[in-house]
Amino acid sequence: MDVGFIGLGRMGRVMAARLVAAGHRVRVWNRSPEAAKSVEGAEPVDSAAEAFSGDAAITMLADDAALRAVTIEGGLLDSGQRPGVHVGMSTISVALAKELAAVHGRAGVPYVSAPVFGRPDAAEKGALNIIAAGDDAAMTRVQPLFDAMGTKTWRFGAEPEKANAVKLAGNFMLVSAIEAMGEASAFAEGHGIPGRDVLEMLTSTLFASPVYKNYGAMIMEGRYEPPGFTMRLGLKDVRLALAAGDAVNVPMPFASVLRDNLLDAIAHGDGDKDFAGLATVAARRSGR
Amino acid sequence: MDVGFIGLGRMGRVMAARLVAAGHRVRVWNRSPEAAKSVEGAEPVDSAAEAFSGDAAITMLADDAALRAVTIEGGLLDSGQRPGVHVGMSTISVALAKELAAVHGRAGVPYVSAPVFGRPDAAEKGALNIIAAGDDAAMTRVQPLFDAMGTKTWRFGAEPEKANAVKLAGNFMLVSAIEAMGEASAFAEGHGIPGRDVLEMLTSTLFASPVYKNYGAMIMEGRYEPPGFTMRLGLKDVRLALAAGDAVNVPMPFASVLRDNLLDAIAHGDGDKDFAGLATVAARRSGR
Amino acid sequence: MDVGFIGLGRMGRVMAARLVAAGHRVRVWNRSPEAAKSVEGAEPVDSAAEAFSGDAAITMLADDAALRAVTIEGGLLDSGQRPGVHVGMSTISVALAKELAAVHGRAGVPYVSAPVFGRPDAAEKGALNIIAAGDDAAMTRVQPLFDAMGTKTWRFGAEPEKANAVKLAGNFMLVSAIEAMGEASAFAEGHGIPGRDVLEMLTSTLFASPVYKNYGAMIMEGRYEPPGFTMRLGLKDVRLALAAGDAVNVPMPFASVLRDNLLDAIAHGDGDKDFAGLATVAARRSGR
Amino acid sequence: MDVGFIGLGRMGRVMAARLVAAGHRVRVWNRSPEAAKSVEGAEPVDSAAEAFSGDAAITMLADDAALRAVTIEGGLLDSGQRPGVHVGMSTISVALAKELAAVHGRAGVPYVSAPVFGRPDAAEKGALNIIAAGDDAAMTRVQPLFDAMGTKTWRFGAEPEKANAVKLAGNFMLVSAIEAMGEASAFAEGHGIPGRDVLEMLTSTLFASPVYKNYGAMIMEGRYEPPGFTMRLGLKDVRLALAAGDAVNVPMPFASVLRDNLLDAIAHGDGDKDFAGLATVAARRSGR
């Protein structure tokens, strides 16, 4: 397929490389142009509008503001050439996804939301879990692209914003797992038991899942740099979950605790560490 | 080995049966004597004191009060015949475990704390995870018993109460997982997405671990009866974790949320349902 | 003085009437024009721009969106005639206040933020507390207007947004007081003590202040309709406090609880009741 | 009247002195006997049993353990001479008050629970608020003693433990007020506004009550030593409130936050500072 790829951050560049490797023609664009050269075999183009064409265009940008700037404010949908499908893979708010769905509807461009679970190392192996929602035919058309980037695609119906809600729910559960490990670890240390021994046991047994194993290992080793995903980005996602819960009157007391503790971490200068470092807040508060 | 087994509740009777099946001689005692007959091949005795003898005696009672009544208040350690090792497998407070360690030390009876992870169905298959702490030689002597009941024994040093702290930390993480699923599910439902679809995806991928799969399935199906482990017992364990955290100055905001939400569930008449039903609190609070 | 007054909701109309009574010439404008006739002695004008003139213009609108629509998006600052001072008395976000300060600076119109404490009945008696920040000379010029509307003006320096931060801090403390009374009342009822007896004692002694007396009385009587200030507006203000705290890395666990409980109230259909009704959440959660 | 007074801590000694000043005959006893000499005009006796006699005996001890040790474990009710009424003025658990009521009932000694609001300086002026519950005739008999120590006596019915529940509810509201001021102050500081300016304004207006004024002043000045009432005692009372709420299924999310933050304070070495110092937790967590 002929694909435009907009946004070559830590995730985007690896995902675009997977598409190249799978034999697709990939035109890439990034705000800072050096990044565009980083994807071997892809074809850098000069503007987002040029990348917004072909069989499909994929956007993978940092946040609501970046995606809004490029698409809505950047007038992408008013440009002459437009893609067969726009696949939005960024982690954004439910509200913006809804707005994008409406805008694309009016412009006659099919819009599929397809945020992913997985960190850069998973993306490199094409091992992402892709959460997709949107027009069924459009999703089917871009399935070969999903197959190049992910292990499995999970479809959540016709309204694109639902995929974003699912992504936020998953990230919320993920940060909750980190917090629970952090509190359990501080608790154990308070009783003279190395936190790592407790986490090692629990993540090998009841909690033997990727999330607990990966983040558990980071907490056990106290290794939060370099970050795979920073505390600031973690807070961004928790904020999005709170806002989306708020919009439909769902109290989320765990999410409220997460927000307060991430703020505490950032206030202590740890905003650019890996968000597994949330575990240090429980430790610090207990005087360690 | 010649083993006395005190306490034949839902867990105790299955664990005792595993010992019988492994070829040990098992004398059993329970406060209400009918239960004692429920373990085929075991030998009912007339008093706790009679069971408190042989190579080892195991206690598996409901809570601090029950264990205290039988042991300390029941004068078990003053009786003539005493076991080679006392293995306390109940989920009790860190404080009581510490007290028992001291009392046994004075009486010259080795005391090993060995609470377990696993529900009755796991116990039936001998698939428990056993968390043990106490005198090393004593633990080694009773290892054949552990092998009959569990998949693996995890040792946490010489002070018995440490095993209890680890057990409470694990149960805290477990209830936290249920709460996180409950909030995520209410969040999804608020956005028109069946909670079960989200949980199914997450528990097959990032959270593919026994705890998430088992409790996730119960939440997906809204099936909280008959209970494997009740909300009231869940609250008991959260209270023990809070008290043990309090004793060493560890703030545990997640545990505080869990306590409040379990109280909410019990206030709404759900105390005897399975504690996976904690998930209903988030749903009810969001007006569902 | 010659004053334009924009926004004649429940607060605005009473405040404008105070200005008329104090002998000022008052031109009034409201989006729905009937309200404009409700202020006897005031002169209705046909557009916000017409009201945005004279010695001072006051805005008293519902929220960020309404104020932004009238001022920034409405092009008020580009209109030919402009007031000597713009006094923004709405409860708005710190972020919007900052933006307005910048925009007014560029347009050469002095901007004073002056949100108030007090409900409509206090406004009627000219008994508001006015929190003002902005250019010192400008504040001095409009002091006669403040004197007509309030008991006392509290100045918080030259940056207008600081007045808004103080207003949000005060409202946060106010909702916290309601929540504390709600929990204390549910606690008392749980022990068979009428909540009203406890609140009556406490609000006559340790907590004998306007906030506790007023809201306490409403909780004692369970009288939440008609609302003086709705639960929805209360949630709006808590959201603004959380956002403003978030912007400067201040964890606010009480505010997080308030948000969750206000969502719970709204999810149960109480969004349009007086926000003292927050107290019903604690009661409901305890099964009453 | 002829009164025995047991417990001469910071509060007890001042209260006993008020009784002496009012013309009562006061026999005093304290565990460490030096304190007994500190009340001029009172008559030190050699044992708690000797003080437990006369028209009335008052106990004013530090906590459940101390009161239990002297009364139930100390066999006070089995001693030959017994007072006309036992007035328990300590801040103790609802559970112990209930137990004492039962024990006294069996012994035929009227028991009145009468905890107080007010710090030592208020006690010195006889300005306490006394919360009383118990047999009506017994309360009436000791009213002259209450009049010597307090401004006003508030009666809460015939079951003594109700007075203790009311006391705990009041203390909970009091610590909540401190926390709210702490968060509001950290919030203001985050926005570049001196916390003291905000508290000064709020405690002169909406929150012009004794609690806010007294604790607000301490927070404004950051003056937490010497303590009037320590953080450790504050935590004790919050624990009692949580336990009493738990017993009747009342979730108290504010109380949960208070507990976590008091633990944080104590973990940071501030356990012996005045409990207004709870406000420092919000500041520290925000990086100040």
Side-chain angles (χ1 to χ4, degrees):
Chain A
M1 291 171 73
D2 176 7
V3 189
F5 203 108
I6 295 173
L8 300 166
R10 306 185 53 181
M11 286 296 286
R13 74 185 66 172
V14 200
M15 290 159 70
R18 293 285 312 177
L19 295 178
V20 170
H24 299 287
R25 180 192 168 202
V26 185
R27 287 156 298 107
V28 295
W29 180 83
N30 196 66
R31 205 176 37 165
S32 55
E34 313 79 66
K37 293 172 203 146
S38 66
V39 185
E40 216 172 319
E43 187 179 321
V45 295
D46 290 335
S47 68
E50 272 179 80
F52 201 67
S53 64
D55 298 318
I58 293 175
T59 46
M60 186 65 182
L61 294 157
D63 55 22
D64 274 35
L67 183 57
R68 180 183 290 282
V70 167
T71 55
I72 298 180
E73 290 161 12
L76 216 49
L77 287 156
D78 311 324
S79 68
Q81 51 184 348
R82 288 163 354 174
V85 184
H86 174 192
V87 185
M89 303 189 80
S90 319
T91 295
I92 55 166
S93 70
V94 174
L96 178 55
K98 216 166 185 167
E99 187 183 340
L100 284 171
V103 167
H104 282 74
R106 285 195 294 274
V109 176
Y111 176 68
V112 168
S113 252
V116 303
F117 287 109
R119 292 170 53 127
D121 53 337
E124 211 160 325
K125 296 175 216 141
L128 299 172
N129 276 285
I130 297 172
I131 310 302
D135 177 69
D136 221 60
M139 287 197 284
T140 300
R141 255 184 296 148
V142 296
Q143 189 61 48
L145 305 179
F146 291 160
D147 292 340
M149 295 183 285
T151 305
K152 182 155 180 184
T153 303
W154 303 79
R155 294 197 183 180
F156 279 87
E159 291 139 307
E161 67 270 18
K162 290 196 174 170
N164 299 87
V166 172
K167 166 67 178 164
L168 294 178
N171 273 21
F172 156 72
M173 276 180 53
L174 205 153
V175 199
S176 292
I178 295 175
E179 171 71 18
M181 286 191 280
E183 293 189 23
S185 182
F187 175 92
E189 298 271 350
H191 284 284
I193 305 159
R196 61 173 304 142
D197 292 359
V198 176
L199 293 184
E200 176 145 13
M201 184 271 295
L202 289 168
T203 61
S204 316
T205 54
L206 291 73
F207 295 93
S209 78
V211 156
Y212 281 87
K213 281 186 170 302
N214 294 347
Y215 292 102
M218 297 172 74
I219 296 170
M220 285 183 228
E221 297 169 25
R223 167 179 47 83
Y224 306 120
E225 285 170 306
F229 188 80
T230 66
M231 215 88 88
R232 267 184 231 292
L233 287 170
L235 176 57
K236 184 202 80 167
D237 287 1
V238 169
R239 275 194 206 114
L240 293 178
L242 283 165
D246 190 317
V248 291
N249 295 332
V250 178
M252 298 179 77
F254 262 28
S256 292
V257 169
L258 297 175
R259 176 190 163 280
D260 284 330
N261 285 4
L262 285 163
L263 286 173
D264 182 325
I266 292 171
H268 283 82
D270 293 339
D272 294 321
K273 295 191 180 158
D274 194 281
F275 84 147
L278 171 59
T280 59
V281 175
R284 180 172 51 241
R285 294 195 68 196
S286 67
R288 273 149 214 289
Chain B
M1 291 171 75
D2 177 6
V3 189
F5 203 108
I6 295 173
L8 300 166
R10 306 184 53 181
M11 287 295 286
R13 73 185 65 171
V14 200
M15 290 159 70
R18 293 286 311 176
L19 296 177
V20 171
H24 299 287
R25 180 193 169 202
V26 185
R27 286 156 298 108
V28 295
W29 181 83
N30 195 65
R31 206 176 38 164
S32 55
E34 315 80 67
K37 294 172 202 145
S38 67
V39 184
E40 217 172 319
E43 186 179 322
V45 295
D46 290 335
S47 68
E50 272 180 79
F52 200 66
S53 63
D55 299 317
I58 293 175
T59 46
M60 186 65 183
L61 293 157
D63 53 23
D64 274 34
L67 183 57
R68 181 184 287 283
V70 167
T71 55
I72 298 180
E73 290 160 13
L76 218 50
L77 286 156
D78 311 324
S79 69
Q81 51 184 349
R82 285 160 359 170
V85 183
H86 175 192
V87 186
M89 304 189 80
S90 319
T91 295
I92 55 166
S93 70
V94 174
L96 178 55
K98 215 167 184 167
E99 187 183 339
L100 283 171
V103 167
H104 282 73
R106 286 195 294 273
V109 177
Y111 176 67
V112 168
S113 253
V116 303
F117 286 111
R119 293 170 53 126
D121 53 337
E124 212 160 325
K125 296 175 217 142
L128 299 172
N129 276 285
I130 297 172
I131 311 302
D135 176 69
D136 221 59
M139 286 198 283
T140 300
R141 256 184 296 147
V142 296
Q143 189 61 49
L145 304 178
F146 291 160
D147 291 340
M149 295 182 285
T151 306
K152 182 156 179 182
T153 303
W154 303 79
R155 294 196 182 181
F156 279 88
E159 290 140 308
E161 68 270 19
K162 290 196 173 171
N164 300 86
V166 172
K167 166 67 178 163
L168 295 178
N171 274 21
F172 156 72
M173 276 179 53
L174 205 153
V175 199
S176 291
I178 296 175
E179 171 70 16
M181 285 191 279
E183 293 189 22
S185 182
F187 175 93
E189 298 272 350
H191 284 284
I193 305 159
R196 60 174 304 141
D197 292 359
V198 176
L199 293 185
E200 177 145 11
M201 184 271 294
L202 289 168
T203 60
S204 316
T205 54
L206 291 74
F207 294 93
S209 78
V211 156
Y212 281 87
K213 281 185 169 304
N214 295 347
Y215 292 102
M218 297 171 75
I219 297 170
M220 284 184 228
E221 299 169 24
R223 169 178 46 83
Y224 305 120
E225 286 169 305
F229 188 79
T230 66
M231 215 88 89
R232 265 183 233 294
L233 287 170
L235 176 57
K236 184 202 79 167
D237 288 0
V238 169
R239 274 194 206 113
L240 292 178
L242 283 165
D246 191 316
V248 291
N249 295 332
V250 178
M252 297 180 77
F254 262 29
S256 292
V257 169
L258 297 175
R259 176 190 163 280
D260 284 331
N261 286 3
L262 284 163
L263 286 174
D264 182 323
I266 292 171
H268 282 81
D270 293 339
D272 294 320
K273 294 191 181 158
D274 195 280
F275 83 147
L278 171 60
T280 59
V281 175
R284 179 172 52 241
R285 295 197 68 195
S286 67
R288 274 153 212 288
Chain C
M1 292 171 73
D2 177 5
V3 190
F5 202 109
I6 295 172
L8 300 166
R10 307 184 53 180
M11 288 294 286
R13 73 184 67 171
V14 199
M15 291 159 68
R18 293 286 312 176
L19 296 178
V20 171
H24 300 287
R25 179 192 169 202
V26 185
R27 288 157 294 108
V28 296
W29 181 83
N30 195 66
R31 204 175 37 165
S32 55
E34 314 79 66
K37 294 171 205 148
S38 67
V39 184
E40 217 173 317
E43 186 179 322
V45 296
D46 290 336
S47 68
E50 271 179 79
F52 202 66
S53 63
D55 299 318
I58 292 176
T59 46
M60 187 64 183
L61 294 156
D63 54 22
D64 275 34
L67 183 57
R68 180 184 289 283
V70 167
T71 55
I72 298 180
E73 290 160 13
L76 216 51
L77 286 156
D78 312 323
S79 69
Q81 49 184 351
R82 288 165 351 175
V85 183
H86 174 192
V87 185
M89 303 189 80
S90 320
T91 295
I92 53 165
S93 70
V94 174
L96 177 55
K98 215 167 186 166
E99 187 183 340
L100 284 171
V103 167
H104 282 74
R106 286 195 293 273
V109 177
Y111 176 68
V112 168
S113 252
V116 302
F117 286 109
R119 291 167 55 125
D121 53 337
E124 211 160 324
K125 297 176 215 141
L128 299 172
N129 276 285
I130 297 172
I131 311 303
D135 176 68
D136 221 58
M139 286 197 283
T140 300
R141 256 184 295 149
V142 296
Q143 189 61 48
L145 305 178
F146 291 159
D147 291 340
M149 296 183 285
T151 306
K152 183 157 180 182
T153 304
W154 303 81
R155 295 197 182 178
F156 279 89
E159 292 140 306
E161 68 270 18
K162 290 196 174 171
N164 300 86
V166 172
K167 166 66 179 163
L168 294 178
N171 273 21
F172 156 72
M173 276 178 54
L174 205 153
V175 199
S176 292
I178 296 175
E179 170 70 17
M181 285 192 278
E183 294 189 21
S185 183
F187 175 92
E189 298 271 351
H191 284 283
I193 305 159
R196 61 173 302 141
D197 292 359
V198 176
L199 293 184
E200 177 145 12
M201 185 271 295
L202 290 168
T203 61
S204 316
T205 53
L206 291 72
F207 294 93
S209 78
V211 156
Y212 281 87
K213 281 186 171 301
N214 295 347
Y215 292 102
M218 297 172 74
I219 296 171
M220 285 183 228
E221 298 169 24
R223 169 179 47 84
Y224 305 121
E225 286 170 305
F229 188 80
T230 66
M231 215 88 88
R232 267 183 233 293
L233 286 171
L235 176 57
K236 184 202 82 169
D237 288 0
V238 170
R239 274 193 206 115
L240 292 178
L242 283 166
D246 190 316
V248 291
N249 295 331
V250 178
M252 298 181 76
F254 262 28
S256 292
V257 169
L258 298 174
R259 177 189 162 280
D260 284 330
N261 286 5
L262 285 163
L263 286 174
D264 182 323
I266 293 171
H268 283 81
D270 293 340
D272 294 321
K273 295 193 180 155
D274 195 280
F275 84 147
L278 171 59
T280 59
V281 175
R284 180 172 51 241
R285 295 196 67 196
S286 67
R288 273 151 213 288
Chain D
M1 291 171 74
D2 176 5
V3 190
F5 203 109
I6 295 172
L8 300 166
R10 307 184 53 180
M11 288 294 286
R13 73 185 66 171
V14 200
M15 290 159 70
R18 292 285 312 175
L19 296 178
V20 171
H24 298 287
R25 180 192 169 202
V26 185
R27 287 157 295 109
V28 295
W29 181 82
N30 195 66
R31 206 176 37 167
S32 54
E34 314 78 66
K37 293 171 203 147
S38 66
V39 185
E40 217 172 319
E43 187 180 320
V45 295
D46 290 336
S47 68
E50 272 179 81
F52 201 67
S53 63
D55 299 318
I58 293 174
T59 45
M60 186 64 183
L61 294 157
D63 54 22
D64 274 35
L67 183 57
R68 180 184 287 282
V70 167
T71 55
I72 297 180
E73 291 160 12
L76 217 49
L77 286 156
D78 311 324
S79 68
Q81 50 184 351
R82 286 162 354 173
V85 184
H86 174 193
V87 186
M89 302 189 80
S90 320
T91 294
I92 54 165
S93 69
V94 173
L96 178 55
K98 216 167 186 167
E99 186 182 341
L100 284 171
V103 167
H104 282 74
R106 284 195 295 274
V109 176
Y111 176 68
V112 168
S113 253
V116 303
F117 287 109
R119 291 169 54 126
D121 53 337
E124 211 159 326
K125 295 176 218 143
L128 298 173
N129 275 285
I130 297 172
I131 310 304
D135 176 69
D136 221 59
M139 287 197 283
T140 300
R141 256 184 294 149
V142 297
Q143 188 62 48
L145 305 178
F146 292 160
D147 291 341
M149 296 183 285
T151 307
K152 183 157 178 181
T153 304
W154 303 80
R155 295 197 182 178
F156 280 88
E159 291 141 307
E161 68 269 19
K162 290 195 174 170
N164 299 87
V166 172
K167 166 67 179 165
L168 294 178
N171 274 21
F172 156 71
M173 276 179 54
L174 206 152
V175 199
S176 292
I178 296 176
E179 170 70 17
M181 285 191 280
E183 293 188 23
S185 182
F187 175 92
E189 298 272 351
H191 285 284
I193 306 159
R196 62 172 303 142
D197 292 359
V198 176
L199 293 183
E200 177 144 14
M201 184 271 295
L202 289 168
T203 60
S204 316
T205 53
L206 291 73
F207 295 93
S209 77
V211 156
Y212 281 87
K213 281 186 170 304
N214 295 348
Y215 292 102
M218 298 171 73
I219 296 170
M220 284 183 228
E221 297 167 26
R223 169 180 46 85
Y224 306 120
E225 286 169 307
F229 188 80
T230 66
M231 214 87 90
R232 267 183 232 292
L233 287 171
L235 176 57
K236 184 202 80 166
D237 288 0
V238 169
R239 274 194 206 114
L240 292 178
L242 284 166
D246 190 316
V248 292
N249 295 332
V250 178
M252 298 180 76
F254 262 28
S256 292
V257 169
L258 297 174
R259 176 189 163 280
D260 284 330
N261 285 4
L262 284 163
L263 286 174
D264 182 324
I266 292 171
H268 283 82
D270 292 340
D272 294 320
K273 295 193 181 157
D274 195 280
F275 84 147
L278 171 59
T280 59
V281 175
R284 180 173 49 242
R285 294 196 68 195
S286 68
R288 273 151 215 288

